[in-house]
Amino acid sequence: MAAAAVQGGRSGGSGGCSGAGGASNCGTGSGRSGLLDKIDDKPVKIDKWDGSAVKNSLDDSAKKVLLEKYKYVENFGLIDGRLTICTISCFFAIVALIWDYMHPFPESKPVLALCVISYFVMMGILTIYTSYKEKSIFLVAHRKDPTGMDPDDIWQLSSSLKRFDDKYTLKLTFISGRTKQQREAEFTKSIAKFFDHSGTLVMDAYEPEISRLHDSLAIERKIK
Amino acid sequence: MLSLDFLDDVRRMNKRQLYYQVLNFGMIVSSALMIWKGLMVITGSESPIVVVLSGSMEPAFHRGDLLFLTNRVEDPIRVGEIVVFRIEGREIPIVHRVLKIHEKQNGHIKFLTKGDNNAVDDRGLYKQGQHWLEKKDVVGRARGFVPYIGIVTILMNDYPKFKYAVLFLLGLFVLVHRD
């Protein structure tokens, strides 16, 4: 009964979309091709032999699926943390540069020493942050509770693709806002399943995988 | 076209990713800068790594050798040691050997230098009216060297366009390439 309510909610949502009329991509017929048009002006094409480009394009597309199809709100907390640490490090470097320029070398020794040590300490903090806090998570999305009463549910996406390997692992983690318990689902597939021979990402093959991961976690939540 | 393909990646980045790319570039520059400043602090010398530019110290050092310098206050300058000094009004440091020293009771010294491969001492190079060098002119004392690597620096200075082209391409690559 709860699952049927979710389905009804979704089709009602896309009906409302075509009713609004203003949005250029909602009116293109079925919900599926509307999603494709929104994803990019043209399909993602990368060099299929470049491992990091492949991983980045798969990560970006998974992000787009979660954000656009399920309308979650992206939380930039993790990314902002990393940006702040990097900005502070660059700030120390700039301070050192300017101070040394204004007071030529022997007098600027203590300030320089301080800046250099702070810079390397910040580098250490950055390394710890990316290894332990970020942990290859590239998306944190919140599902806002419709009633506004319970805290948000959190969905996290993380992925890994080993160097020169073709097996891509995508892990979706669901943290319930209310009960704070964590559930995860993942799949490992060869990237050859998602790209055609020219390096274009085929959303038709990729999107169902993501939806399957998502639904397997969402359904468990409903049952509980 | 090749150029449009990799620019696509940039166009697809949102604001945060663009800022991260710029930060990435900044971090690489900052790391190099901080390592240089760190070396300056540790060795006590304004220019801890110098390249030998002329052949005046052959056969000890050849053009293009990289020298590591330290400039500790406690190390006394003695005859026979190789020092790197800067003449007032000139910015290029010179690497030569100490020939004579006059030392006062309070430790203040004046010294004369000469390149091993030169026929005469350096008085001709000093400033007009200056006959001796003092401690404040010294950039550092040579402690170690790596042969030949400095040739790249010499090339970059002789052909500045080459240097700018290399730096520009490297910068572009870092800014556009993700992770």
Side-chain angles (χ1 to χ4, degrees):
Chain A
M1 184 179 65
V6 167
Q7 289 286 34
R10 264 196 223 138
S11 51
S14 56
C17 199
S18 50
S24 58
N25 17 33
C26 278
T28 38
S30 78
R32 192 85 172 286
S33 54
L35 179 63
L36 263 182
D37 287 337
K38 232 184 189 175
I39 278 179
D40 216 349
D41 294 315
K42 51 185 182 170
V44 179
K45 183 170 187 313
I46 43 92
D47 176 11
K48 63 185 172 188
W49 298 116
D50 178 2
S52 72
V54 165
K55 180 175 184 296
N56 285 332
S57 61
L58 284 173
D59 289 350
D60 288 343
S61 308
K63 217 196 282 199
K64 284 192 157 93
V65 166
L66 265 195
L67 291 180
E68 284 166 18
K69 183 163 171 203
Y70 298 105
K71 304 274 186 292
Y72 294 153
V73 173
E74 184 169 3
N75 175 330
F76 294 108
L78 272 188
I79 300 180
D80 280 350
R82 182 165 35 115
L83 289 180
T84 327
I85 297 180
C86 289
T87 310
I88 297 180
S89 317
C90 287
F91 172 71
F92 275 122
I94 292 177
V95 163
L97 186 66
I98 296 182
W99 193 271
D100 191 53
Y101 186 72
M102 313 257 281
H103 307 259
F105 176 56
E107 295 90 54
S108 61
K109 207 161 167 186
V111 174
L112 273 190
L114 182 71
C115 283
V116 170
I117 293 179
S118 324
Y119 182 80
F120 286 113
V121 164
M122 295 303 307
M123 288 281 108
I125 295 179
L126 181 70
T127 315
I128 296 179
Y129 185 84
T130 40
S131 320
Y132 292 111
K133 196 139 197 302
E134 256 194 287
K135 276 185 293 192
S136 81
I137 295 176
F138 61 88
L139 173 68
V140 176
H142 283 216
R143 183 219 303 259
K144 295 243 166 274
D145 192 48
T147 62
M149 283 195 342
D150 299 329
D152 303 332
D153 300 328
I154 303 177
W155 296 84
Q156 284 176 352
L157 270 182
S158 69
S159 70
S160 68
L161 174 68
K162 285 212 205 68
R163 215 167 134 80
F164 304 131
D165 196 5
D166 70 323
K167 295 277 178 293
Y168 174 75
T169 304
L170 182 66
K171 184 158 88 164
L172 182 59
T173 308
F174 171 75
I175 303 177
S176 164
R178 254 178 311 122
T179 62
K180 293 275 178 280
Q181 51 172 202
Q182 191 169 324
R183 266 199 307 283
E184 21 180 82
E186 66 173 36
F187 70 82
T188 305
K189 278 241 164 97
S190 165
I191 55 180
K193 292 233 190 300
F194 305 126
F195 286 91
D196 68 9
H197 65 273
S198 69
T200 312
L201 176 60
V202 179
M203 282 311 287
D204 287 347
Y206 191 49
E207 205 228 313
E209 293 287 334
I210 309 214
S211 303
R212 197 148 39 92
L213 270 189
H214 175 270
D215 296 340
S216 73
L217 288 179
I219 288 174
E220 279 185 62
R221 184 177 77 91
K222 284 294 177 191
I223 291 173
K224 288 202 167 79
Chain B
M1 259 177 43
L2 188 66
S3 55
L4 286 183
D5 268 350
F6 78 79
L7 282 181
D8 264 351
D9 230 4
V10 179
R11 264 187 263 144
R12 263 187 246 123
M13 291 187 204
N14 61 26
K15 249 191 337 197
R16 277 190 168 73
Q17 284 168 320
L18 273 176
Y19 182 53
Y20 182 62
Q21 292 301 108
V22 172
L23 266 186
N24 229 359
F25 177 73
M27 298 266 279
I28 293 182
V29 172
S30 304
S31 293
L33 186 71
M34 286 289 105
I35 292 180
W36 180 255
K37 299 284 182 217
L39 272 180
M40 272 171 66
V41 170
I42 294 176
T43 63
S45 152
E46 307 183 294
S47 182
I49 301 182
V50 293
V51 176
V52 175
L53 293 174
S54 70
S56 59
M57 279 301 280
E58 295 191 10
F61 300 133
H62 300 266
R63 199 170 127 87
D65 289 349
L66 206 69
L67 289 179
F68 298 102
L69 312 176
T70 66
N71 196 17
R72 303 267 159 66
V73 197
E74 319 82 64
D75 295 334
I77 297 185
R78 293 279 170 256
V79 170
E81 293 197 348
I82 300 177
V83 295
V84 178
F85 57 90
R86 209 175 254 146
I87 298 178
E88 263 175 85
R90 309 238 188 114
E91 60 164 62
I92 303 183
I94 303 178
V95 188
H96 282 168
R97 206 179 290 270
V98 173
L99 209 60
K100 291 184 192 172
I101 297 190
H102 282 302
E103 189 169 350
K104 274 203 200 145
Q105 288 282 41
N106 59 9
H108 181 254
I109 52 176
K110 297 195 292 190
F111 58 96
L112 177 64
T113 59
K114 174 181 174 296
D116 289 349
N117 211 18
N118 288 349
V120 295
D121 60 35
D122 290 341
R123 284 233 167 85
L125 289 174
Y126 297 166
K127 214 171 67 166
Q128 195 70 280
Q130 179 187 15
H131 296 294
W132 301 92
L133 286 176
E134 290 172 31
K135 200 104 197 287
K136 64 175 174 53
D137 299 313
V138 171
V139 172
R141 311 253 285 300
R143 293 292 182 203
F145 88 114
V146 183
Y148 303 129
I149 293 205
I151 298 257
V152 180
T153 313
I154 296 181
L155 275 177
M156 297 263 223
N157 278 330
D158 285 347
Y159 305 107
K161 287 201 192 124
F162 175 64
K163 171 166 75 172
Y164 295 137
V166 167
L167 287 177
F168 176 69
L169 285 174
L170 276 178
L172 199 62
F173 178 73
V174 170
L175 277 174
V176 168
H177 189 73
R178 280 179 67 180
D179 290 340

